[in-house]
Amino acid sequence: MCGIIGYVGNKNAAEEVREGLFRLEYRGYDSAGAAIMDENGIISVVKKQGKVANLAPYLDDISGRIGIGHTRWATHGKPSDVNAHPHSSGKITVVHNGIIENYAELKSKLEACGERFFSQTDSEVAAKLINRNFKGDLLCALAETVKVLKGSYALMAICEGVSAIAVAKYRSSVILGYGDDEYFCASDEPALAGKCSSISVLEDGDLAYITPDGIEIYDDGMQQVIRDKRANTAAAQSLDLCGYPRYMLKELYETPAAVERTVKEFNAAAPKLREALRGINRIILLGCGTAYHAGLVGKRYFEAFARIPAECENAGEFRYKNPVVCEGAAVFAVSQSGETADTVEAARLARTLGAKVIAVTNAPNSALTRLADVVAPVAAGTEICVAATKSYTAQIACLYLCALTFAGEPLTCERAVALTKMPALCEKTLASVNTYSIANMCAGASGVYFLGRDVDYAVALEGSLKLKEVSYVPGEGYPAGELKHGTLALIDGKTVCVALVFDKNLAKKCENAVEQVLSRGGRAVVITNVVGVCASLKDRVRIISLPDCDKFLSPLISAVAVQKLAYETAAVLGRDPDKPRNLAKSVTVE
Ligand code: G6P
């Protein structure tokens, strides 16, 4: 869950690495570092705790044509200068994304041989091993080293006096970029947006050797292999803030376009999906974080549209419970990045147990895409903010269409047509919702509790997660009916309840929950499109009114409202919602 970048070419590698690190920073920002090799083969290493901006000035005085860089989300060893990558041993310097699970055992063996370790990281073990295995051929030394590593790695190594970067990949993503007499290696596509004309994606077990003359790729048996080259479609302008103060706000405002594109792309994917779902008698949705919450909404779509029982589980839980899965099951693995380790591995496990895997992802070249039987594309576009916004709404739109397809509905049915109207309603919601004064209330609250029933409950969970992630104000999402079974004990004058009410039939019941909060001295906000809801309480409740729509489509607008509330609460508190403390966008470790 770190970001790695490598450059070999005629430009200043320090500058290329610096730019790459800024682009990869959303993968982790506990520390950053770089190693640049000069014309004489001498390597300079700089590394600093904190964000890439702390490191950036130190790269001004270094130049060279070969460089590697790393931005870290700490797993082994606290964030510090010494634990920052790169790590060096002898002539070798490495950067690593992933977790070396047997590092403690390897470290003890190396210590017994007289090696001294300077950091608490698992990655330093790799540097030591490559150095010990180096007999004049860097790639062979790396190949020997990865044979003893257990866990996951995207590893890049350079060696003093050798004009090359050696790369190894296993269960952490690596892409290679081909430019004009220059070559790149990176964790993901945004890092290379606009940088090179084509890319290729390494497979598990692959090794690559990048020199000024080109890139050679080898499989785990050291046989040279060819990996498809595809056009690099990532556009550099998607990385611009375009005048917005934060990516979270920019991406929130991109929701209507993300939903619209997803609907369009689904049309092309539908025949393959329809075919894959033939004979399916069980639906399982898996994901982590926000993607899991999108799965909870999707579960209701399958149940309501196809009247089939559907389950939605957290991918990390699913994979360790010896799940009961057999042929006839379809697993919808939901992941923005397509790289979340728990989701990818849960999907892989389900597939080995006989399930069909459908990747619901925003990342066409991801690990999840590659292992899936079919891809249901989420066309949200690049999302930089660690907290997901537009990708969540686009995932919901995609799952809505998947459920309709499974139910045998044509994409011209009434429900599908109603979805095509939602981008305009998202736009209207963005323009009309003013959450500023409520954000002030939330910013000063000791806890914010999101309540809802049915699909509103699923969005309540996401509303609560979003607020916690970006503002650090504690809270929970609860089914409105559960309030009286525990949460009510938390209600006092310092707490705020946010009730989501988008189902006319359940509106009265939700009103009861709001009454209960008010009578215990709590403050309440109601986000709704049901006319007249809480009318009798309107002097005591803040009401945010959203446009009318079908209850199953309401998550597309209620999500926008809770995301805006979270953003504004973070703004009131002066938090950086794009890079919340301790988090990272892409969690490629388990
Ligand atoms: C991290 C991110 C969340 C994201 C989750 C799943 O926790 O901070 O925003 O929802 O990973 O990511 P995925 O890429 O699988 O959707």
Side-chain angles (χ1 to χ4, degrees):
M1 0 221 294
C2 308
I4 59 173
I5 176 84
Y7 176 82
V8 177
N10 294 319
K11 300 199 185 108
N12 181 4
E15 194 40 57
E16 294 301 315
V17 167
R18 170 166 37 202
E19 194 179 342
L21 288 178
F22 273 118
R23 290 169 171 214
L24 287 166
E25 198 173 18
Y26 69 98
R27 295 175 66 96
Y29 31 85
D30 288 331
S31 60
I36 309 297
M37 192 187 300
D38 71 15
E39 312 290 313
N40 302 314
I42 306 296
I43 298 172
S44 305
V45 173
V46 276
K47 45 193 206 172
K48 290 280 157 226
Q49 185 180 342
K51 295 185 177 156
V52 176
N54 288 0
L55 172 83
Y58 295 89
L59 288 167
D60 287 347
D61 308 328
I62 308 177
S63 65
R65 300 281 171 255
I66 294 177
I68 56 176
H70 186 274
T71 176
R72 178 170 188 247
W73 182 78
T75 57
H76 293 63
K78 61 179 187 187
S80 66
D81 285 0
V82 72
N83 285 336
H85 295 220
H87 293 286
S88 302
S89 177
K91 291 178 161 191
I92 304 294
T93 296
V94 303
V95 291
H96 166 228
N97 171 33
I99 288 187
I100 300 170
E101 286 168 1
N102 58 338
Y103 88 99
E105 180 194 325
L106 294 169
K107 189 170 174 177
S108 317
K109 280 191 194 155
L110 287 162
E111 278 171 337
C113 298
E115 292 285 2
R116 248 185 82 216
F117 283 80
F118 299 95
S119 75
Q120 289 107 46
T121 66
D122 51 338
S123 313
E124 196 179 353
V125 162
K128 301 272 185 221
L129 287 170
I130 299 168
N131 187 47
R132 291 175 85 89
N133 286 327
F134 183 68
K135 308 275 181 298
D137 185 326
L138 179 61
L139 190 66
C140 285
L142 180 62
E144 274 309 298
T145 300
V146 296
K147 279 185 196 160
V148 302
L149 302 184
K150 293 203 177 104
S152 57
Y153 49 80
L155 255 174
M156 280 189 224
I158 54 174
C159 175
E160 288 217 345
V162 179
S163 297
I165 301 176
V167 186
K169 178 239 163 12
Y170 188 73
R171 295 200 171 169
S172 287
S173 59
V174 176
I175 61 168
L176 302 170
Y178 302 83
D180 280 342
D181 288 329
E182 58 180 356
Y183 304 95
F184 298 83
C185 178
S187 296
D188 62 27
E189 289 175 74
L192 303 188
K195 285 275 162 195
C196 52
S197 50
S198 58
I199 57 165
S200 49
V201 181
L202 287 188
E203 299 289 342
D204 277 342
D206 280 356
L207 295 135
Y209 199 59
I210 311 173
T211 68
D213 300 325
I215 303 181
E216 287 168 1
I217 305 174
Y218 298 85
D219 65 12
D220 52 5
M222 283 303 272
Q223 293 300 310
Q224 198 165 346
V225 287
I226 298 201
R227 299 287 172 228
D228 281 353
K229 274 193 200 170
R230 49 195 93 166
N232 180 20
T233 49
Q237 69 263 30
S238 63
L239 307 172
D240 283 351
L241 273 166
C242 301
Y244 286 92
R246 300 284 186 189
Y247 283 111
M248 184 174 179
L249 196 63
K250 175 188 178 230
E251 289 161 3
L252 181 49
Y253 274 83
E254 287 169 351
T255 301
V259 172
E260 196 169 319
R261 266 199 312 270
T262 299
V263 173
K264 226 180 248 161
E265 287 204 12
F266 191 87
N267 286 325
K272 229 174 151 190
L273 181 67
R274 199 167 290 127
E275 188 53 40
L277 293 178
R278 218 181 282 281
I280 291 298
N281 53 29
R282 188 173 164 207
I283 302 290
I284 303 170
L285 298 109
L286 301 174
C288 295
T290 293
Y292 165 63
H293 291 161
L296 288 173
V297 179
K299 163 185 148 72
R300 290 293 296 113
Y301 294 157
F302 282 96
E303 289 170 341
F305 305 163
R307 301 304 296 158
I308 183 173
E311 303 143 63
C312 177
E313 273 203 67
N314 174 280
E317 288 296 309
F318 176 86
R319 56 184 292 221
Y320 293 114
K321 68 165 198 182
N322 191 11
V324 183
V325 179
C326 35
E327 273 179 41
V331 164
F332 287 78
V334 188
S335 172
Q336 186 281 130
S337 62
E339 298 291 347
T340 298
D342 280 329
T343 309
V344 172
E345 293 313 317
R348 201 190 306 276
L349 172 65
R351 199 159 189 272
T352 59
L353 295 172
K356 282 255 163 65
V357 171
I358 296 98
V360 180
T361 183
N362 201 23
N365 293 319
S366 62
L368 187 61
T369 305
R370 293 201 301 283
L371 78 81
D373 295 283
V374 192
V375 176
V378 174
T382 306
E383 194 177 65
I384 302 287
C385 175
V386 166
T389 53
K390 61 176 178 169
S391 67
Y392 170 71
T393 24
Q395 282 163 356
I396 290 174
C398 181
L399 288 169
Y400 182 91
L401 292 170
C402 288
L404 284 178
T405 304
F406 181 71
E409 298 281 357
L411 293 174
T412 47
C413 71
E414 206 178 311
R415 281 195 190 282
V417 171
L419 175 62
T420 63
K421 313 271 188 272
M422 290 313 289
L425 296 194
C426 292
E427 199 126 17
K428 203 166 162 193
T429 304
L430 283 163
S432 65
V433 162
N434 183 348
T435 49
Y436 185 68
S437 64
I438 297 167
N440 269 294
M441 201 160 103
C442 291
S446 62
V448 179
Y449 302 99
F450 287 76
L451 308 174
R453 286 176 188 267
D454 195 11
V455 282
D456 292 340
Y457 166 51
V459 181
L461 289 171
E462 178 57 14
S464 167
L465 174 66
K466 208 73 348 184
L467 188 76
K468 273 183 285 199
E469 269 182 308
V470 302
S471 73
Y472 319 149
V473 175
E476 292 299 336
Y478 274 93
E482 276 289 293
L483 181 70
K484 53 190 175 294
H485 298 295
T487 317
L488 214 45
L490 299 173
I491 303 301
D492 61 16
K494 293 195 219 94
T495 57
V496 176
C497 277
V498 180
L500 303 174
V501 187
F502 290 85
D503 185 336
K504 293 179 186 66
N505 298 324
L506 298 174
K508 261 279 157 262
K509 301 245 176 263
C510 293
E511 216 171 285
N512 293 345
V514 173
E515 288 262 23
Q516 288 161 21
V517 168
L518 294 175
S519 38
R520 268 82 187 174
R523 291 168 294 168
V525 177
V526 176
I527 304 180
T528 185
N529 67 356
V530 178
V531 179
V533 80
C534 290
S536 60
L537 308 172
K538 75 170 183 302
D539 296 337
R540 293 189 290 152
V541 172
R542 312 288 282 271
I543 297 181
I544 298 181
S545 296
L546 301 193
D548 185 37
C549 67
D550 178 66
K551 77 162 182 180
F552 287 115
L553 288 168
S554 67
L556 297 172
I557 51 173
S558 56
V560 165
V562 294
Q563 289 165 352
K564 204 166 175 198
L565 175 62
Y567 172 80
E568 281 178 353
T569 307
V572 169
L573 291 168
R575 315 275 194 230
D576 176 356
D578 290 344
K579 298 190 189 89
R581 69 183 176 206
N582 304 336
L583 299 182
K585 187 150 191 73
S586 205
V587 186
T588 56
V589 295
E590 298 169 32

